[in-house]
Amino acid sequence: KAGVTQTPRYLIKTRGQQVTLSCSPISGHRSVSWYQQTPGQGLQFLFEYFSETQRNKGNFPGRFSGRQFSNSRSEMNVSTLELGDSALYLCASSSRAGSSGNTIYFGEGSWLTVV
Amino acid sequence: AQSVTQPDIHITVSEGASLELRCNYSYGATPYLFWYVQSPGQGLQLLLKYFSGDTLVQGIKGFEAEFKRSQSSFNLRKPSVHWSDAAEYFCAVGNYGGSQGNLIFGKGTKLSVKP
C-alpha cells in the first residue's frame, strides 16, 4: 500500500508569507505527527493529531498550526514566515496514537525555503 | 528527562567493512527503540524496531541491532557495508506524547563509505 505522501515536496516562500503543507497518511492510519528538521536543531516535534484532535504539541510559536480531517489527512500551516523557518518538514503516520508498541512511518518531507 | 545520545557525529568506513553505530538512551520506563535512515534529500526510512522479546532484532538492508538494558544501549550493526549505505542514521526512543511527541531522536550519525 502507498506510504506517507507529502505535498508539495519543494517550495520557496518570501518572509512574511504563509505556507500550507499537506500530508496523507498510510491508509488506515489515524495518527499523524509533524516534525521540523534543520541542520542546527535536528528533528523537532511540532504536533500530533489523532482522530481530528490535537493530542500533543511541541515547543513552537503559535505561528505553527495544524489540523486533521475526517479522512485522517493533515495540513500544517506556518504564518508570517521567518528565515529560520527554512527546513525539511516531515510528516509521520501510525495506526494508533502514542508510541507504545506502535510503528511510526515517515514521508519524504516538504522542503521549505524562506527568502 | 528522556533523551537519546548518538556519540558519533560522523563515521567513515571502507566498503565491505563491518559497521557499528552507537546509541544510548535515557528513559524511565520500558523503551520502544527504533533506527531510521535518511538518504540525502529524503525522508526517514524505518530500518528496525525493538518493542520486546529477543534483544537482537533484524531489520531491512542487512542491518541488526542489539538492545542491552544494562547499558541503556541499542547499537546498530551491519557485517559488510555497501556504498549505498552512505546516509544519516537516527536512533529514536518511543515516548508517551507530551511536548516531545511520540519519538525522541538522537542527533544522528552520518555514515560515509570509502570505495
Side-chain angles (χ1 to χ4, degrees):
Chain A
K1 54 185 177 183
V4 181
T5 305
Q6 294 188 243
T7 56
R9 288 294 316 280
Y10 306 92
L11 67 167
I12 300 174
K13 291 287 188 178
T14 304
R15 272 183 303 174
Q17 287 186 316
Q18 72 166 12
V19 67
T20 299
L21 308 178
S22 179
C23 173
S24 293
I26 292 171
S27 178
H29 284 194
R30 296 165 61 194
S31 171
V32 173
S33 298
W34 289 89
Y35 290 80
Q36 181 196 66
Q37 185 179 26
T38 60
Q41 299 298 318
L43 285 150
Q44 293 184 283
F45 170 71
L46 282 158
F47 24 67
E48 180 199 7
Y49 288 87
F50 182 79
S51 293
E52 302 179 67
T53 301
Q54 186 180 87
R55 290 190 71 245
N56 299 293
K57 189 176 190 307
N59 297 319
F60 278 81
R63 300 185 297 108
F64 292 82
S65 63
R67 59 177 174 170
Q68 186 179 34
F69 302 95
S70 59
N71 61 359
S72 294
R73 191 177 69 84
S74 176
E75 289 181 346
M76 67 162 283
N77 184 276
V78 187
S79 62
T80 320
L81 284 165
E82 302 177 359
L83 295 179
D85 297 332
S86 295
L88 176 64
Y89 290 88
L90 290 164
C91 173
S93 83
S94 58
S95 57
R96 307 190 306 275
S99 66
S100 177
N102 198 14
T103 304
I104 299 171
Y105 299 92
F106 284 81
E108 293 295 309
S110 292
W111 284 95
L112 171 65
T113 301
V114 182
V115 297
Chain B
Q2 297 91 332
S3 65
V4 175
T5 302
Q6 295 180 247
D8 304 305
I9 296 173
H10 190 188
I11 285 182
T12 300
V13 300
S14 297
E15 191 168 16
S18 63
L19 170 70
E20 181 169 28
L21 301 182
R22 296 182 292 163
C23 172
N24 292 97
Y25 66 89
S26 172
Y27 196 70
T30 301
Y32 299 99
L33 296 160
F34 305 82
W35 275 98
Y36 289 88
V37 60
Q38 185 176 39
S39 298
Q42 302 299 312
L44 297 175
Q45 182 181 23
L46 179 67
L47 280 177
L48 47 77
K49 63 191 180 189
Y50 171 78
F51 287 167
S52 65
D54 193 349
T55 56
L56 183 64
V57 293
Q58 303 296 321
I60 62 171
K61 303 185 180 187
F63 285 93
E64 67 177 26
E66 186 171 13
F67 170 59
K68 293 185 177 180
R69 184 186 298 275
S70 61
Q71 298 178 20
S72 298
S73 68
F74 188 55
N75 294 348
L76 182 71
R77 300 194 294 249
K78 186 170 185 177
S80 177
V81 168
H82 188 262
W83 65 265
S84 60
D85 294 325
E88 191 156 18
Y89 292 79
F90 293 91
C91 180
V93 63
N95 187 45
Y96 292 98
S99 63
Q100 291 181 289
N102 295 325
L103 287 173
I104 298 172
F105 285 93
K107 292 294 187 183
T109 297
K110 185 175 181 180
L111 173 66
S112 297
V113 181
K114 289 190 300 186

